[in-house]
Amino acid sequence: MAKILIIDDERSIRSTLREILEYEDYEVEDVDNGVDGLQLIEKKDYDLVLCDIKMNRMDGMEVLTEGLAIKPDLPFIMISGHGTVETAVEASKKGAFDFISKPPDLNRLLITVRNALDRGSLVVEAKVLKRKVSKVRPILGDSQAIIKIKETIDRVAPTDARVLVTGANGSGKELVARWLHEKSHRSSAPIIEVNCAAIPSELIESELFGHEKGSFTSAIKQRIGKFESANGGTLFLDEIGDMSQSAQAKVLRALQENKITRVGGEKEIDVDVRVVAATNKDLLKEIEAGNFRMDLYHRLSVILIHVPPLIERKDDIPLLTQAFLDEICSEYGMPVKKISDAALEALKSLPWTGNIRELRNMVERLIILSDKIITDSDVKAFANPSAPVTAVAGEAAAAPQTDFDQFNNFQEYKDYAEREYIKFKLEKNNWNVSKTADDIDIQRSHLYSKIEKFGLKRGE
């Protein structure tokens, strides 16, 4: 229910507006002066304010200005018995949503109120979505290595120094690059990512520098490259150790002169780009093997940041695990599952060859396959998806080993595992859906949807 505040020094107008709005199921409060109105705006959350312009203790325009200073997104509808075009224009300039003359026309008032409330909802939704899209995941960890990385980012980010981030796959190199951008003076401009390993060597130059129409067979129109797209912002060159020699030479020139030339073009284009590069390779060994230019290495590695593998910071695993539990359960729309201390110790004992990425996948697997509390037995059972599940003493014999080659991707495996888990629980509870839903901590309607989705039938 929308909450509306009326600020007007005429009792009859307040009473009329309250009666109309409450009839439409709005929650209404009213005061007779701007001073009290501003105090309420500061203390409470309103969806809309209806404010008179001519009042004794404080002018309505002052209330509008100060109210928007307190709550910038709060819609104001100004009302006045002495309305003129000039007054309406002034109110709009100060940030009012609309202006209504006294006595208010019922239909116009209600339409304006609905539009103002819709606009307020859209503003809030847009901000939430923007935060979701642009939000950079925090760098989690209390280990010395992570503390040092955070300190380095704080020092280096405000400068334009080039940074080379090294570390194994899945260790969090991209996250470091994004925080370098987020904490820089370039954060309002874009960060453009290029995965040098994913682009064929014959296309990498076009991808980076763009091309002119007709410069090669498939160049049917002009294309802007990543350097130009990142102008004023940050260019993140991921897996730079896989870049071709010819592209390396052009990148070196771009870094030296801050100029690029599109493929097939002659005009030099000025670019203002901060370059952050990342690699999982030992570039010094690549230089010795003749695969990487030493001069480019020195251009890129003004600052070196090494992200350690997860195995070297096991004490961060509980913190990371809890963060992933919160995040994934929220994405699935389910209560956050608890994890036992023994399960956390079991997680810390694993090799983690896939680093943070593997840990997140592991937590997601545990959320799907375990009961309300994740135990060390769950970790041992599901740590290695390709390993057979051994029976625990006193329990039934081990289930047959699953052929994991049958799954084309992780989603297929998740669907299979979820189906088998729900089927097992239903059979265990003699197909009592209510008891099973309570047992696995989901709504009964949700469980019915799952039964229908997976085509589960009793006695199959």
Side-chain angles (χ1 to χ4, degrees):
M1 183 187 295
K3 197 171 183 180
I4 299 174
L5 174 64
I6 301 169
I7 307 174
D8 198 305
D9 57 2
E10 292 184 55
R11 180 188 293 274
S12 59
I13 292 292
R14 293 201 312 275
S15 300
T16 301
L17 291 174
R18 174 186 275 275
E19 185 177 346
I20 293 169
L21 295 171
E22 286 184 338
Y23 183 79
E24 294 292 321
D25 288 333
Y26 295 119
E27 185 180 341
V28 183
E29 291 185 26
D30 65 83
V31 290
D32 61 3
N33 66 87
V35 176
D36 291 343
L38 287 173
Q39 289 178 351
L40 286 173
I41 289 170
E42 194 165 7
K43 292 177 183 176
K44 299 184 179 182
D45 289 325
Y46 294 102
D47 299 295
L48 175 65
V49 175
L50 292 169
C51 183
D52 188 17
I53 289 181
K54 299 295 182 183
M55 294 185 292
N56 292 326
R57 290 182 62 185
M58 180 181 278
D59 183 77
M61 292 297 187
E62 292 179 61
V63 177
L64 172 64
T65 303
E66 293 190 26
L68 290 177
I70 298 168
K71 302 276 179 69
D73 297 324
L74 181 60
F76 271 77
I77 295 175
M78 308 305 292
I79 49 181
S80 176
H82 310 283
T84 63
V85 173
E86 289 76 13
T87 309
V89 169
E90 184 186 355
S92 297
K93 284 182 177 178
K94 288 181 179 290
F97 176 78
D98 207 342
F99 176 90
I100 293 177
S101 299
K102 291 182 182 179
D105 175 80
L106 174 60
N107 290 329
R108 175 150 194 267
L109 171 68
L110 292 177
I111 290 170
T112 305
V113 165
R114 289 192 194 108
N115 289 342
L117 291 171
D118 287 344
R119 181 253 189 189
S121 298
L122 288 172
V123 168
V124 172
E125 287 175 18
K127 288 196 168 187
V128 170
L129 288 172
K130 189 174 181 182
R131 279 198 299 270
K132 284 184 177 179
V133 170
S134 63
K135 188 178 180 181
V136 182
R137 188 194 303 272
I139 298 176
L140 297 173
D142 298 320
S143 60
Q144 283 302 312
I146 294 302
I147 291 171
K148 184 179 178 181
I149 287 173
K150 290 178 181 177
E151 289 175 349
T152 304
I153 289 172
D154 288 339
R155 289 191 177 202
V156 174
T159 73
D160 276 335
R162 299 184 195 102
V163 182
L164 178 62
V165 187
T166 61
N169 285 334
S171 58
K173 300 188 296 296
E174 180 184 346
L175 189 56
V176 171
R178 291 193 175 277
W179 273 112
L180 285 165
H181 174 74
E182 193 73 15
K183 293 195 171 187
S184 73
H185 64 275
R186 298 173 178 267
S187 58
S188 57
I191 175 171
I192 304 295
E193 180 181 348
V194 181
N195 189 324
C196 302
I199 303 169
S201 57
E202 62 271 17
L203 296 178
I204 186 71
E205 291 181 39
S206 171
E207 190 75 17
L208 289 173
F209 308 110
H211 61 249
E212 299 292 351
K213 181 179 179 181
S215 55
F216 49 89
T217 306
S218 58
I220 57 175
K221 62 180 181 179
Q222 185 189 73
R223 176 176 178 170
I224 302 298
K226 300 299 187 185
F227 264 91
E228 285 182 81
S229 299
N231 195 37
T234 303
L235 180 65
F236 176 44
L237 299 176
D238 198 9
E239 306 299 351
I240 197 165
D242 295 292
M243 184 181 285
S244 66
Q245 289 277 0
S246 59
Q248 288 178 36
K250 288 196 172 184
V251 168
L252 177 63
R253 177 178 176 272
L255 297 181
Q256 288 173 333
E257 302 176 11
N258 293 323
K259 296 177 186 292
I260 62 153
T261 304
R262 295 187 192 126
V263 175
E266 297 179 357
K267 179 184 175 183
E268 289 189 335
I269 301 167
D270 292 328
V271 287
D272 172 25
V273 172
R274 185 203 194 156
V275 173
V276 177
T279 182
N280 62 352
K281 294 184 175 181
D282 186 336
L283 290 187
L284 294 177
K285 288 184 179 178
E286 293 296 308
I287 291 169
E288 288 180 12
N291 297 326
F292 201 81
R293 296 178 63 111
M294 181 178 287
D295 46 5
L296 178 58
Y297 172 79
H298 289 304
R299 283 280 175 183
L300 292 170
S301 60
V302 176
I303 303 292
L304 274 168
I305 296 179
H306 178 68
V307 184
L310 187 57
I311 196 72
E312 292 181 11
R313 52 184 188 106
K314 289 184 177 182
D315 289 342
D316 290 336
I317 287 176
L319 184 63
L320 289 162
T321 301
Q322 188 57 56
F324 290 144
L325 281 170
D326 294 341
E327 178 185 311
I328 296 166
C329 288
S330 175
E331 289 174 2
Y332 284 176
M334 60 191 294
V336 178
K337 289 197 174 183
K338 298 185 182 300
I339 185 166
S340 68
D341 291 339
L344 289 173
E345 289 301 318
L347 285 174
K348 289 168 73 172
S349 68
L350 297 175
W352 298 117
T353 52
N355 295 294
I356 309 294
R357 192 176 295 137
E358 183 187 1
L359 175 60
R360 191 187 190 283
N361 288 344
M362 175 66 171
V363 171
E364 187 169 8
R365 191 184 310 141
L366 289 168
I367 288 170
I368 295 168
L369 300 178
S370 67
D371 289 326
K372 292 181 182 179
I373 298 178
I374 299 169
T375 66
D376 56 330
S377 298
D378 294 324
V379 174
K380 290 169 185 173
F382 307 127
N384 183 2
S386 60
V389 179
T390 55
V392 178
E395 293 185 359
Q401 182 177 349
T402 304
D403 177 16
F404 289 93
D405 287 333
Q406 67 181 295
F407 306 115
N408 295 318
N409 52 54
F410 188 52
Q411 185 60 49
E412 285 188 13
Y413 169 71
K414 286 199 297 183
D415 288 343
Y416 166 82
E418 191 174 0
R419 183 186 189 279
E420 294 301 304
Y421 174 69
I422 291 174
K423 180 183 174 185
F424 169 78
K425 286 293 185 180
L426 284 166
E427 290 174 350
K428 182 179 178 181
N429 292 313
N430 197 27
W431 273 80
N432 184 323
V433 176
S434 297
K435 189 173 186 303
T436 303
D438 184 62
D439 193 17
I440 63 178
D441 200 20
I442 65 172
Q443 293 181 358
R444 188 170 54 181
S445 59
H446 192 190
L447 180 55
Y448 275 119
S449 298
K450 295 289 184 184
I451 292 170
E452 184 178 352
K453 174 184 175 182
F454 296 125
L456 294 171
K457 295 179 182 177
R458 187 168 190 165
E460 68 174 359

